């Protein structure tokens, strides 16, 4: 039996534990939880764990008393680093949600905490380990484009309203959408290109679509524009225009923040320089809907071009100097296009000593450093050198 200790048993990790990890390890049991919302956390656990899991005030107390085989940190973004620093002192495998840090101060202290730690981390980066991305990397290693000289990566997020009508709108928690969203993309781009990102020039558009002057605390059910607003639950449902859900805070509310006080961006883009001299561009748009959803990259070199999109679930390979082009269709789907089940296999394998982590703590910290450079660049209008793990 695998005994799991969970810190922050929220929506995301309860899905990963209940659907993905249990599929790999049916004998998994959540024995201890640190979460101030005990009722909510219990409701996200199946029986018998829901009744039997013991709740603790602190991570240390849980590790001492529940004696878990491994830890999962699934709190919101601002608490990942403080808890991970505590976990670094335990000799236990750790599944850590992203972004691993939400400030430079946090990221540096996290790197320091893991310098001599024996805690093996699986950072929750499903895109990097998704079968489509791994296949793209394999083709690149086989020379599909020759040397990868350029990348253009795109992310048109069809469920982007979540960053304005759920807890992600709380800017002090997220610190913007480079850290929140691009952390995945900068990570998989470094993996695909086989090199770290060393310099970033970025730009963001804020407050042009989302945010506005609707009163603080307004929700759709109390709004006199509910019938005509494209964002009301009923109209999203009718139009199939993104995450429908239930009553929600207004995406045009003043409580989202302003460009001056800090708020999530409508869209943002980054020019990326890689260590070997290649460059690329990444762009993310949060008001896209329906069939506009797209996420993937086009990588090119002298020999060819490779392009893939998780929403299309295929890779196109074009040979530049031979009259052949292929489309490779991926089978299967699953959460994050199979990436979450790959993460679960990695984590259970690390616990059993049969696999190594493909998303170690360094990948999480390096991605956070890159996001922080992009954030700083967008704020200052200057190119920013990316801090590198290990100095
Ligand atoms: N890797 C991915 O693809 C992916 C996808 C979705 C979300 N996420 C990340 O998962 C994280 C959690 O998102 P969520 O939607 O599950 O949020 P959530 O609010 O549902 O879960 C957070 C949990 O933490 C608990 N919590 C609050 N304060 C705490 C404290 N001091 N100590 C311990 N627990 C505490 C809450 O009660 C809640 O149960 C976010 O950081 C988000 O960025 C990652």
């Amino acid at each position: 039996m695998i005994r799991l200790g969970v810190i922050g048993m929220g929506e995301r990790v309860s899905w990963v534990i209940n659907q993905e990890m249990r599929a790999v390890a049916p004998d998994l049991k959540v024995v201890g939880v640190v979460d101030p919302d005990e009722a909510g956390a219990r409701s996200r656990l199946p029986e018998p764990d829901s009744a039997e899991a013991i709740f603790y005030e602190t991570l240390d107390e849980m590790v001492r008393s529940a004696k878990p085989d491994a830890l999962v940190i699934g709190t919101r973004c601002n608490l990942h680093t403080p808890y991970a620093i505590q976990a670094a002192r335990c000799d236990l495998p750790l599944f850590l949600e992203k972004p691993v840090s939400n400030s430079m101060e946090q990221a540096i202290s996290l790197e320091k905490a893991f310098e001599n730690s024996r805690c093996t981390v699986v950072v929750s980066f499903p895109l990097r380990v998704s079968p489509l991305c791994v296949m793209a990397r394999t083709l690149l290693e086989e020379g599909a484009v020759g040397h990868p000289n350029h990348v253009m990566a795109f992310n048109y997020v069809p469920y982007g309203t979540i960053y304005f009508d759920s807890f992600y709108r709380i800017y002090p928690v997220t610190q913007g959408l480079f850290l929140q969203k691009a952390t995945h993309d900068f990570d998989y781009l470094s993996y695909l290109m086989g090199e770290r990102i060393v310099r970033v020039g970025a730009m963001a558009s804020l407050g042009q679509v989302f945010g506005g002057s609707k009163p603080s605390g307004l929700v759709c059910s109390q709004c006199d524009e509910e019938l005509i607003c494209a964002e009301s639950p009923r109209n999203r449902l009718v139009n199939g225009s993104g995450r429908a859900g239930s009553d929600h805070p207004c995406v045009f509310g003043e409580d989202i923040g302003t460009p001056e006080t800090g708020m999530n961006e409508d869209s943002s883009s980054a020019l990326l320089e890689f260590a070997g001299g290649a460059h690329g561009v990444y762009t993310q748009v949060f008001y896209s809907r329906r069939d506009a959803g797209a996420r993937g990259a086009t990588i090119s070199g002298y020999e060819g071009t490779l392009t893939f999109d998780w929403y299309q679930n295929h890779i196109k390979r074009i040979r530049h100097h031979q009259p052949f082009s292929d489309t490779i269709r991926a089978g299967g789907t699953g959460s994050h296009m199979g990436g979450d089940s790959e993460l679960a296999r990695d984590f259970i394998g690390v616990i059993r000593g049969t696999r190594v982590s493909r998303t170690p703590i360094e990948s999480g910290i390096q991605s956070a450093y890159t996001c922080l450079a992009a954030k700083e660049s967008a704020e200052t209008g200057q190119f920013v050198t990316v801090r590198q793990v290990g100095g």
Side-chain angles (χ1 to χ4, degrees):
M1 182 176 78
I2 292 177
R3 298 167 62 80
L4 218 54
V6 183
I7 303 100
M9 185 78 196
E11 296 291 338
R12 163 69 184 165
V13 293
S14 59
W15 162 265
V16 174
I17 292 169
N18 295 334
Q19 304 301 320
E20 306 290 5
M21 293 185 191
R22 287 183 201 274
V24 186
D27 59 343
L28 181 151
K29 188 168 174 61
V30 174
V31 291
V33 178
V34 178
D35 193 317
D37 177 13
E38 182 173 335
R42 282 199 195 279
S43 75
R44 289 186 277 276
L45 278 170
E47 293 297 354
D49 295 7
S50 176
E52 293 173 4
I54 297 176
F55 278 68
Y56 298 91
E57 290 293 317
T58 67
L59 184 152
D60 282 344
E61 194 192 344
M62 179 173 73
V63 169
R64 264 199 318 275
S65 306
K67 302 205 179 341
D69 300 313
L71 300 173
V72 173
I73 296 177
T75 58
R76 292 179 183 175
C77 317
N78 54 323
L79 295 178
H80 296 162
T81 288
Y83 276 122
I85 287 174
Q86 294 174 45
R89 296 195 289 265
C90 312
D91 188 10
L92 294 173
L94 167 66
F95 184 91
L96 176 59
E97 261 315 329
K98 50 53 61 174
V100 298
S101 302
N102 78 347
S103 70
M104 187 56 86
E105 196 188 1
Q106 280 200 352
I108 291 171
S109 53
L110 188 63
E111 185 180 351
K112 202 164 162 27
F114 273 88
E115 264 164 13
N116 297 309
S117 171
R118 294 179 58 201
C119 165
T120 303
V121 182
V122 172
V123 176
S124 184
F125 280 151
L127 293 189
R128 172 198 280 242
V129 298
S130 68
L132 198 69
C133 190
V134 172
M135 174 56 86
R137 176 67 193 159
T138 303
L139 292 169
L140 290 169
E141 282 170 357
E142 288 170 2
V145 307
H147 181 72
N149 294 107
H150 185 271
V151 60
M152 183 207 59
F154 49 89
N155 189 3
Y156 291 89
V157 187
Y159 54 88
T161 48
I162 194 175
Y163 302 106
F164 302 91
D165 67 17
S166 77
F167 78 83
Y168 291 108
R169 76 206 310 248
I170 307 168
Y171 187 77
V173 172
T174 60
Q175 291 295 317
L177 299 179
F178 280 121
L179 278 160
Q180 185 49 236
K181 181 55 80 186
T183 188
H184 291 289
D185 303 78
F186 292 160
D187 173 66
Y188 89 73
L189 288 171
S190 298
Y191 164 66
L192 279 184
M193 298 294 278
E195 290 173 359
R196 285 183 180 181
I197 297 163
V198 293
R199 202 162 63 113
V200 179
M203 220 177 255
S205 302
L206 299 84
Q208 296 178 19
V209 176
F210 297 118
S213 56
K214 292 287 182 197
S216 235
L218 181 68
V219 291
C220 298
S221 60
Q222 288 159 21
C223 179
D224 54 15
E225 291 177 29
E226 193 200 2
L227 286 178
I228 53 167
C229 179
E231 302 296 349
S232 69
R234 79 176 71 202
N235 285 332
R236 282 186 188 168
L237 194 65
V238 167
N239 297 323
S241 59
R243 212 176 58 103
S246 49
D247 199 16
H248 59 77
C250 180
V251 299
F252 306 114
E254 58 185 10
D255 42 0
I256 283 173
T258 66
E260 291 72 36
T261 60
M263 69 184 296
N264 289 337
E265 60 265 34
D266 301 326
S267 63
S268 48
S269 310
L271 205 52
L272 310 168
E273 181 184 341
F274 291 83
H279 89 273
V281 58
Y282 166 74
T283 193
Q284 51 182 9
V285 177
F286 294 96
Y287 43 79
S288 309
R289 305 296 160 93
R290 307 186 57 255
D291 295 345
R295 193 174 197 177
T298 298
I299 302 121
S300 54
Y302 181 68
E303 301 296 340
T305 292
L306 207 64
T307 185
F308 71 93
D309 180 342
W310 276 284
Y311 286 86
Q312 303 292 331
N313 212 13
H314 67 212
I315 302 176
K316 285 186 181 166
R317 175 187 180 178
I318 295 107
R319 291 163 178 82
H320 285 176
H321 308 292
Q322 286 176 294
F324 297 103
S325 300
D326 316 328
T327 299
I328 302 171
R329 293 184 204 290
T333 50
S335 177
H336 282 117
M337 287 302 167
D340 283 337
S341 51
E342 289 297 320
L343 285 176
R345 271 188 214 114
D346 281 6
F347 186 53
I348 300 299
V350 167
I351 297 169
R352 290 179 174 151
T354 55
R355 282 176 95 125
V356 292
S357 172
R358 288 178 286 171
T359 53
I361 191 68
E362 294 77 16
S363 67
I365 299 170
Q366 190 57 52
S367 174
Y369 285 152
T370 312
C371 295
L372 289 162
K375 182 172 183 282
E376 183 186 334
S377 175
E379 285 165 0
T380 61
Q382 306 289 316
F383 275 90
V384 175
T385 300
V386 178
R387 187 184 173 99
Q388 300 296 314
V389 171

